[in-house]
Amino acid sequence: MESLKLPQSLFSSHGGKAIVPLPTSSLLPKSTFLIYPNRKLALSTDFVTTATVALLSANMFPCRHCVVKQIRSMQFTTRSTSASVQSTVDELMEGKSKDLPVSGDSIRHRFIDFYASRGHKVLPSASLVPDDPTVLLTIAGMLQFKPIFLGQVPRQVPRATTAQRCIRTNDVENVGRTSRHHTFFEMLGNFSFGDYFKKEAIRWAWELSTVEFGLPADRLWISVFEDDNEAFEIWHDEMGVPVERIKRMGEDDNFWTSGVTGPCGPCSEIYYDFHPERGYSDTDLNDDSRFIEFYNLVFMEFNKKDDGSLEPLKQKNIDTGLGLERMARILQKVSNNYETDLIYPIIEKTSELAKVPYGLADDHSKLNLKIIGDHLRAIVYLISDGVVPSNIGRGYVVRRLIRRAVRTGRMLGIKGDGQGNLEGAFLPVIAGKVIELSTHINPDVKDRTPRILEELKREELKFVQTLERGEKYLDQMLVEALLSAKASRTVPRLSGKDAFLLYDTYGFPIEITAEVAEERGVSIDMTGFDIEMENQRRQSQAAHSAVKLAMGTSAELTKDVPDTKFLGYETLSATAVVESLIVNGNPVLQVSEGSKVEVLLNRTPFYAESGGQIGDHGFLYVPQGENQHKAVMEIIDVQKSMGNIFVHKGTIREGVLEVGREVEAAVDAKLRQRAKVHHTATHLLQSALKKVIGQETSQAGSLVAFERLRFDFNFHRPLIDDELAEIERLVNKWVGDATPLQTKVMPLADAKGAGAIAMFGEKYGEEVRVVEVPGISMELCGGTHVSNTSEIRGFKIISEQGIASGIRRIEAVAGDAFIEYVNARDYHMKQLCSTLKVKAEEVTTRVENLLEELRITRNEASTLREKAAVYKASIMATKVISVGTSEKFRVLVESMEDTDADSLKKAAEYLIETLEDPAAVILGSCPGADKVSLVAAFTPGVVQLGIQAGKFIGPIAKLCGGGGGGRPNFAQAGGRKPENLSNALEKARSEIISVLSEKAK
């Protein structure tokens, strides 16, 4: 048995006699050997030794107890060694193989396999971008099941298990400071949808913790809701947990609510005790130095009503979450989550670039290394899931994390890319390690590597361009704040306006400004910042830190309505039965002529908006006789609601429509054809884009309408004319090839394996519809399409533009819309030729000549206006007044009526050159409706006294509803209230005279 304590030798030599027959096909999964790819297992053919049993113990098999069970059932060929094998097996079951690490990947696999073996359907992680308007990002494992918990959609399986990627940024300031806070983390969960409840959930959680993961039972503490006697008794009576290790806690800690109303229930948590020697007295489960909560079981059994009362749910659910990083910390026996194999390799890579070994780093450097290790995981997975850095919504979350990571890296001393290129970016280097670790978290990340790295590089370099200027400006602001506070004996404070200037002009997230200011002992006027932010963008988005589940009226209205059967792939008309009528959100039994109504049918040929394609238009007819209708409803939109229920929206044009009535549903064939043409053209456009600008580009949104198509995609620059022309050429070539389309329904895994592209933002079931243009395009798509590319007839790009950082948009037309566009352009060209009296090919030259003539004429007019303004100024110079006694200051404050801004500037320059130093000139004018121009010019003698033109003119401009600034000796400003100009100039005159008089003394 001594040899079993030398695991390193097991990789290099066999050394032992084969004792256990090993059926490799069933016992050893291929993935087993990926954990140590550079080392070979020393096995005799189909046999395993005692040493190998130890090697294969904890981290190489997802379900260790299954392996042990198989080994125990085998017949040993060498009797003398059976005792050693049994001893090894016992060590495995008791969790005593402490020399072997337990990888984060193996913990994930073992959790999933544990619940899969107990009848749970293994479902994939949802995207970090949720299909839920109440939350900005996926913040919990249960989010993808929210419609099931609400009863909005029927359950597909009774129980499920997932490893969900999550993002939370509400505690971002705690990242690295505590042992457990992260922005990105994985939540392992098991869920029951009206199947099992407390007893099974608790039993399996205990078995997973103590048997599967081998945690000592005497180190586990339990919390329960103070009134949940049932959970308390299960933990104590059936699991055997001593009462002194079961804590009853209040509503704030152990009662989960989804919102003001909706599903809720008590929860129970499992804690690991790092210091059991401290005993049972005065224990606080919130003491992070001793405990870590790693598993939370939510017993969703009540519905919270408007009055706050609780009523039992008809369907009781289980929602659990086990923190992967927390369990890895426990099993890998490290002091914090950051030192687990899930994050530490990223920290090591950062340490290498910063030349700061983690083990030798001081606490502040370790904090910074942890921040980068955490943030890079969040950044990579957010960009992979389609989030692009921007200044609003999800984009702001990722931009904030990127900029925080960049600044943190600079604080660690990383220059350039950290590898010698001072003009390079270091985040892509570290992101490479995150991507390397992503295989078992999300395999798609590696396929998106080029886009992720390019986005990171572009965002980092763009931020660095402003970071140095901003840092200098912030430093100047903080110095001034400290000096001002010292002089006035107040608390140092940075104004909200200055903080907003850093955000708006230099790209500093307010959090970074606050961190830097805090380090210097300066607070920030956050109220003032919020006011400035609100003035700039009235509509801002914010991340929610809780999943809101509220029982809405839509769920009640459709609870007895079956899913709508869609017939629109095969036909454009069908008979159907009216299942429900809704007017203003309320169910009704009938509606009459002129009423707007929403109609639910048992089946329909109408396509409901999804996948970017808008809903069909058409009519519902209630037949009365041959070629006669008792009622007619015009359909102008169709939406999906509560899963797969189609809501037909429109107006009753004739007669009365009643619930239960049979109707004839007819889709507008011409509009459907236009949508089909644009949808297939969108697929061809994406394929052409990938060929012309690169395979790494991907869809970021789309619209398939009757009159046009719109396609958003990830790309870092505008497309040049030659690229757009080549894209058009390719699409039109494929149109001319007259290729028949193929549509198939197949398992999602098979479709992805065949190379089908998923549509942005869509969710897919196990069976998916694949639309293929053979040799050109293959996409997962539920939309309607032409049967042959020749039906598209023609394709034309009408615009290409940027809509956000790293996101481009193409708008195009095809089919009938293409013909209409070409005809309209031809008409306008003929009109232009007639007006200019030239041929079509001569229009460009003629327009260029006209523009040049116009430019010359405008310059001549501007010169004349400036000369007129200077002449007026020369006459105005006689109005100069003198201020002061010993030294005379010349002051001129006047209005120049409707003089434009450029001419006003010329007049001020003339006066300041003409007047003897020291002199101050302030001029104003109203060059147009709702427009004010102001200029201030000071000679060196005035500036030397500390009077600056830029600071002086700003408050004056505010009186006119504007603002401005400039250099100490010359500044311009503007406003929107001409009626206030006279008072503003009078204010300027009195203030400049007052300040100069004071200086003169």
Side-chain angles (χ1 to χ4, degrees), residues 643-833:
N644 205 37
I645 296 174
F646 286 39
V647 181
H648 305 72
K649 301 181 179 183
T651 304
I652 305 297
R653 296 302 181 194
E654 297 178 20
V656 176
L657 185 61
E658 301 168 328
V659 172
R661 178 72 66 178
E662 186 174 86
V663 297
E664 294 176 359
V667 174
D668 186 317
K670 289 184 178 179
L671 292 181
R672 166 67 79 83
Q673 181 64 17
R674 292 170 78 107
K676 289 164 61 176
V677 163
H678 279 142
H679 207 149
T680 305
T682 301
H683 286 209
L684 298 182
L685 170 59
Q686 177 161 217
S687 294
L689 274 167
K690 287 180 176 290
K691 282 185 175 292
V692 173
I693 65 175
Q695 290 294 322
E696 67 275 7
T697 190
S698 62
Q699 181 179 342
S702 69
L703 172 68
V704 176
F706 304 133
E707 72 281 359
R708 65 191 169 104
L709 68 88
R710 188 179 73 208
F711 188 80
D712 300 339
F713 57 99
N714 296 287
F715 203 56
H716 61 279
R717 61 168 175 80
L719 272 62
I720 61 176
D721 290 342
D722 287 348
E723 290 170 332
L724 292 171
E726 178 62 13
I727 290 168
E728 281 187 352
R729 187 194 70 78
L730 279 172
V731 173
N732 284 309
K733 175 186 178 300
W734 294 331
V735 170
D737 289 342
T739 304
L741 273 71
Q742 297 178 3
T743 303
K744 305 173 186 175
V745 175
M746 63 178 70
L748 177 60
D750 292 350
K752 287 188 174 181
I757 298 173
M759 294 288 287
F760 178 82
E762 286 295 291
K763 293 181 179 291
Y764 300 98
E766 294 184 4
E767 294 285 321
V768 293
R769 184 169 180 263
V770 178
V771 176
E772 181 179 9
V773 184
I776 300 169
S777 167
M778 182 189 292
E779 297 192 21
L780 307 183
C781 183
T784 61
H785 289 269
V786 299
S787 57
N788 189 294
T789 59
S790 62
E791 294 178 43
I792 297 175
R793 299 163 67 193
F795 173 86
K796 181 67 180 176
I797 294 174
I798 59 177
S799 70
E800 190 276 337
Q801 61 183 329
I803 59 170
S805 175
I807 299 289
R808 308 296 302 176
R809 170 173 290 173
I810 283 178
E811 294 193 359
V813 289
D816 285 350
F818 165 77
I819 301 299
E820 292 164 0
Y821 177 80
V822 171
N823 286 341
R825 294 285 287 248
D826 183 61
Y827 170 79
H828 291 303
M829 177 57 77
K830 287 177 179 177
Q831 291 291 103
L832 195 57
C833 290

Side-chain angles (χ1 to χ4, degrees), residues 323-374:
L324 175 60
E325 291 79 8
R326 298 184 182 195
M327 181 58 81
R329 172 192 172 187
I330 296 168
L331 294 179
Q332 293 176 14
K333 297 179 173 57
V334 292
S335 61
N336 58 72
N337 296 2
Y338 298 92
E339 295 178 14
T340 66
D341 68 340
L342 296 166
I343 305 175
Y344 190 66
I346 308 167
I347 291 176
E348 280 189 311
K349 180 51 119 179
T350 310
S351 296
E352 177 188 321
L353 299 183
K355 299 177 175 56
V356 179
Y358 181 81
L360 302 177
D362 58 31
D363 289 344
H364 189 66
S365 295
K366 280 186 177 180
L367 168 64
N368 290 333
L369 289 168
K370 290 174 183 176
I371 289 173
I372 293 180
D374 169 87

Side-chain angles (χ1 to χ4, degrees), residues 493-515:
R493 190 174 179 84
L494 191 66
S495 72
K497 185 176 181 180
D498 285 342
F500 181 75
L501 176 66
L502 286 165
Y503 164 83
D504 192 43
T505 304
Y506 296 99
F508 266 62
I510 184 63
E511 297 80 11
I512 290 181
T513 301
E515 285 182 11

